[in-house]
């Protein structure tokens, strides 16, 4: 007998002026196909829009794709807003063009995982499926 489980809910978004969305759409599809509930916000979102939507949709995680070079301001801003809104338990992860030197700073700030171009999809799926769902 199979036991029904609640799938993890993940918001995936593109923050800022970054218009490169091919990769993030592949991630969305891979996660969806793996049984993850996805809320995809599309392009040109603000950190405020991302956090508001994440709270409204009761997600367990947010995945941001950033190729604009603004990762050092956008990731920390999303983390700050999550804490301010009482949603500091939402996992933040992301991907994009992120220089090696910036990774330790972003992880120290609270970004749980950063995926680079050419990361195998199964690595991203495994990470998300490995998140604990406690809601």
């Amino acid at each position: 007998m199979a036991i029904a489980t609640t799938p993890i809910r993940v918001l995936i978004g593109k923050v800022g002026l970054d218009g490169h969305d091919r990769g993030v759409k592949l991630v969305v599809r891979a996660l969806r196909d793996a049984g993850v509930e996805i809320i995809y916000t599309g392009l040109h979102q603000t950190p405020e829009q991302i956090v508001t939507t994440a709270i409204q949709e009761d997600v367990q995680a947010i995945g941001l794709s950033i190729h604009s070079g603004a990762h050092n301001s956008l990731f920390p801003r999303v983390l700050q807003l999550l804490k301010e809104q009482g949603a500091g338990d939402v996992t933040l992860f992301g991907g994009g063009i992120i220089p090696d030197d910036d990774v330790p700073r972003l992880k120290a700030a609270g970004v749980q995982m950063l995926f680079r171009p050419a990361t195998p999809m199964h690595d991203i799926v495994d990470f998300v499926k490995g998140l604990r769902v406690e809601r």
Side-chain angles (χ1 to χ4, degrees), residues 56-128:
Q56 289 173 346
E57 293 289 344
D58 194 29
V59 300
Q60 289 81 37
I62 297 171
L64 299 179
S65 172
I66 302 174
H67 289 104
S68 65
H71 51 274
N72 285 326
S73 60
L74 293 172
F75 279 115
R77 179 67 178 146
V78 169
L79 288 164
Q80 175 190 10
L81 289 167
L82 286 169
K83 288 177 187 166
E84 288 174 1
Q85 308 247 352
D89 61 333
V90 174
T91 298
L92 179 63
F93 68 97
I97 307 298
I98 301 168
D100 291 340
D101 291 346
D102 294 340
V103 171
R105 183 176 333 122
L106 291 170
K107 285 190 171 185
V111 179
Q112 293 298 308
M113 183 63 76
L114 292 164
F115 298 100
R116 306 288 191 54
T119 297
M121 280 301 154
H122 67 83
D123 288 357
I124 300 169
V125 170
D126 290 347
F127 169 78
V128 170

